[in-house]
């Protein structure tokens, strides 16, 4: 049975991959062998990974080539996220995306810098016309880097369709060597209502997973009754890389029949937030392990395929069920999990413990909670399911449950600060208290009169925090009065340890200069090759403002000729 299922799945996947996507249209974006640190649709914090993360040999500055003819349709430069990113639209309707770049090719770099100086902003987003920056296949478009939210040097590469939906680039013939089966780290059973039990318990159960010859697994037999779901913690590795990456397809079978499928070929950015309902969010929040649920519960994700009864097994007394799970990577390397289930009524069952509070959140209702000078607004459909919420206000500290419930959208927290004096009001912000030491982490806060409001998707403990300390600014690679004629770069370190840096502005002799901000190293960098610093005697002025409005000014003198 396993062999027959495997052959049928292989030919179905192969046929589907070859019939829908052009195989020889896109070339590789790099001149080196492609080794991945991240795969398409890999599970990330609050989102699916939308492309391939290609290793760049722990270096920056590798040549990035256009994968096909087209034109630059979008350029975005930001401090966070994709950092420096380039979008090329192709005649066949697809768009390729290249992100975390160090810099662009000379003609594109000149185009973008002209606009940055015009707008006096490092962060910028542009949409050139099809005639402005035409591109030929395999022409130089950029150099690989580590900009934005990158955790190390690599190229983030995407292919999107004409609806801006990212698609697995490997479907287009972008080849990655992979002969390794996915591996399964853990397997769980979930009783899904109060009348359902696994091994005499109504609580989630971690099941014993036994590796067998050939890379497959069996799970220790269980007794169950009622509506049961399962979850799997699994990853994949490609050749020449030790990274734990995402898998391509997960499929389950009940007594040989299709039951449930997760198909990671394509998704839309509007749905990627629902990853937190796909995984066991409480388990991830408390243990940092992502269990993918093999049942569908209040989740509109488009990656669900061939779902029967939402993937839920209804186990009856005195029945025997064989449950199988196939985990596969793109190259069709696969690992199978087999579980035998005996339907058996429970005797003296262990019931799950449900904590009740005065605050019962109804997912389909708008709810306002208020205590003392703090209020919380949950809008309709903020959460996926109903639950009892911990809500308590102690002085300026708000206890708003633990971060164990996934939210679809933001909710609002409002503090009335009328009891503070005017001088202190301007320094207040709403912080989420994180970590063992409850460190105050800035939550984007807006003030309107005597009301401070923060918007967030994360439950937890919040408090009013004060930031009366100005940002720090200091020179890195030069001193006051120094000659910098042989220097290529001017570097300044800026930092704000409380509410964080909000904005900065740098001028030389009163004229705005472009300074690139790397938040990971807290560094501002100006490239003298921009050609805007032309005087011999130069007064540098840098103004930095934090998120509550404290600002610092740094001035120094340098010389060039």
């Amino acid at each position: 049975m396993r062999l027959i299922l495997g052959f049928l799945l292989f030919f179905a996947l192969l046929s589907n991959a070859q019939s829908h996507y052009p195989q020889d249209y896109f070339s590789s974006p790099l001149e080196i062998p492609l080794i991945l640190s991240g795969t398409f649709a890999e599970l990330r914090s609050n989102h699916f990974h939308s492309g391939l993360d290609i290793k760049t040999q722990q270096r920056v500055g590798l040549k990035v080539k256009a994968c096909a003819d087209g034109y630059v349709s979008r350029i975005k430069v930001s401090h966070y996220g994709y950092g420096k990113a380039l979008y090329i639209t192709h005649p066949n309707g697809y768009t390729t995306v290249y992100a975390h770049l160090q810099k662009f090719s000379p003609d594109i770099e000149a185009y973008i810098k002209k606009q940055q100086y015009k707008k006096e902003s490092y962060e910028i987003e542009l949409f050139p016309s099809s005639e402005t920056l035409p591109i030929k296949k395999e022409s130089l478009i950029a150099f690989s880097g580590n900009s934005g939210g990158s955790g190390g040097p690599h190229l983030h590469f995407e292919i999107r369709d004409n609806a801006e939906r990212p698609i697995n680039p490997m479907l287009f013939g972008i080849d990655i060597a992979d002969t390794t089966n996915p591996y399964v780290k853990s397997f769980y059973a979930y009783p899904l209502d109060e009348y359902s039990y696994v091994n005499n318990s109504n609580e989630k159960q971690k099941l014993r997973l036994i590796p067998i010859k050939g890379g497959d697994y069996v799970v220790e037999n269980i007794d169950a009754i009622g509506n049961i779901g399962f979850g799997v913690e699994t990853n994949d590795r490609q050749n020449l890389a030790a990274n734990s990456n995402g898998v391509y397809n997960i499929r389950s079978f009940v007594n040989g029949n299709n039951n449930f499928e997760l198909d990671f070929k394509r998704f839309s950015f509007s749905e990627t937030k629902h990853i937190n309902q796909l995984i066991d969010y409480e388990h991830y929040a408390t243990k940092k392990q992502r269990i993918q649920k093999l049942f569908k519960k209040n989740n509109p994700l488009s990656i669900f395929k061939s779902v029967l009864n939402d993937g839920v097994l209804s186990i009856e007394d005195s029945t025997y069920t064989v449950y199988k799970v196939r985990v596969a990577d793109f190259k069709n390397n696969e690992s199978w999990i087999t579980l035998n289930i005996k339907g058996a009524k429970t005797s003296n069952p262990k019931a799950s413990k449900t904590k009740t509070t005065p605050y019962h959140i109804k997912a389909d209702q708008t709810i306002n909670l208020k205590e003392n000078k703090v209020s919380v607004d949950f809008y309709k459909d903020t959460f996926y399911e109903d639950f009892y919420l911990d809500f308590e206000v102690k002085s300026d500290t708000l206890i708003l449950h633990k971060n164990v419930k996934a939210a679809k959208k933001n909710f609002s927290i409002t503090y009335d600060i009328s009891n503070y004096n005017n001088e202190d009001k301007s320094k207040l912000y709403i912080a989420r208290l994180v970590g063992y030491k409850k460190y105050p982490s800035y939550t984007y806060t807006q003030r309107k009169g005597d009301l401070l409001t923060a918007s967030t998707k994360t439950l937890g403990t919040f408090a009013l925090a004060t930031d009366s300390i100005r940002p720090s600014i200091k020179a890195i690679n030069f001193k006051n009065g120094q000659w910098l004629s042989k220097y290529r770069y001017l570097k300044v370190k800026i930092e704000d340890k409380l509410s964080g840096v909000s904005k900065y502005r740098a001028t030389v002799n009163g004229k705005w200069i472009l300074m690139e901000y790397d938040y990971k190293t807290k560094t501002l960098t100006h490239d003298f090759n921009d050609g805007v610093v032309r005087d011999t005697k130069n007064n540098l002025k840098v103004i930095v403002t934090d998120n509550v409005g404290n600002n610092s000014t740094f001035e120094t003198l340098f010389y060039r000729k």
Side-chain angles (χ1 to χ4, degrees), residues 41-44 47-48 190 230-232 247 250 260-264 271-282 284 290-304 384 406:
E42 192 170 278
L43 307 182
R44 299 286 179 88
H47 69 285
F48 295 104
Y190 292 81
F230 294 94
V232 62
V247 300
I250 304 177
F260 182 85
E261 183 179 1
L262 289 171
D263 180 37
F264 296 105
E271 65 177 324
T272 189
K273 62 187 177 183
H274 298 302
I275 186 176
N276 287 334
Q277 183 67 354
L278 171 66
I279 65 172
D280 182 333
Y281 185 79
E282 180 172 355
Y284 171 68
R290 293 185 176 96
I291 301 169
Q292 298 180 67
K293 292 183 287 191
L294 304 182
F295 54 95
K296 182 180 178 182
K297 187 177 181 182
N298 302 325
N299 197 336
L301 280 171
S302 64
I303 63 172
F304 294 120
Y384 292 93

Side-chain angles (χ1 to χ4, degrees), residues 393-516:
V393 177
K394 297 179 179 179
S395 185
D396 286 334
T397 299
L398 165 65
I399 299 170
L400 195 60
H401 214 70
K402 293 181 180 179
N403 179 29
V404 293
K405 295 293 182 181
K408 295 183 192 179
K409 57 187 179 182
N410 286 14
F411 53 88
S412 295
I413 299 171
T414 301
Y415 276 79
D416 182 340
I417 57 171
S418 57
N419 57 319
Y420 284 83
N421 63 52
N422 288 331
E423 183 178 351
D424 291 339
K425 288 176 184 177
S426 64
K427 307 302 180 186
L428 292 172
Y429 64 95
I430 298 174
R432 183 167 178 266
L433 304 183
V434 299
Y436 176 74
K437 295 185 178 180
K438 300 297 182 183
Y439 179 83
S441 176
Y442 176 80
T443 302
Y444 179 69
T445 305
Q446 293 180 300
R447 180 184 172 189
K448 187 174 182 180
D450 285 335
L451 298 179
L452 285 183
T453 301
S455 182
T456 181
K457 286 175 66 176
T458 307
L459 295 168
T461 301
F462 298 82
L464 282 183
T466 300
D467 182 359
S468 57
I469 302 174
R470 295 179 177 182
S472 63
I473 311 170
K474 63 180 181 180
I476 294 178
N477 65 337
F478 66 97
K479 297 178 181 179
N480 184 47
Q482 186 174 343
W483 282 87
L484 304 179
S485 302
K486 296 182 179 181
Y487 282 53
R488 168 76 184 270
Y489 299 105
L490 184 72
K491 295 187 177 184
V492 175
K493 183 175 182 178
I494 64 174
E495 186 174 10
D496 189 87
K497 294 183 177 180
L498 294 176
S499 64
V501 172
S502 171
K503 57 184 178 180
Y504 64 90
R505 179 178 176 84
T507 58
V508 169
N509 297 334
K511 185 176 182 179
W512 186 86
I513 62 167
L514 177 65
M515 295 200 84
E516 179 175 335

Side-chain angles (χ1 to χ4, degrees), residues 2-3 181-184 209-219 324-327 333-338:
R2 178 195 186 284
L3 188 62
N181 290 351
Y183 60 98
V184 179
L209 194 66
I210 306 167
I212 60 175
K213 187 177 179 180
D216 293 337
Y217 305 81
V218 294
V219 180
K324 286 182 175 286
V325 178
R326 175 187 182 266
V327 181
N333 302 302
E334 60 182 26
S335 296
W336 287 79
I337 306 164
T338 301

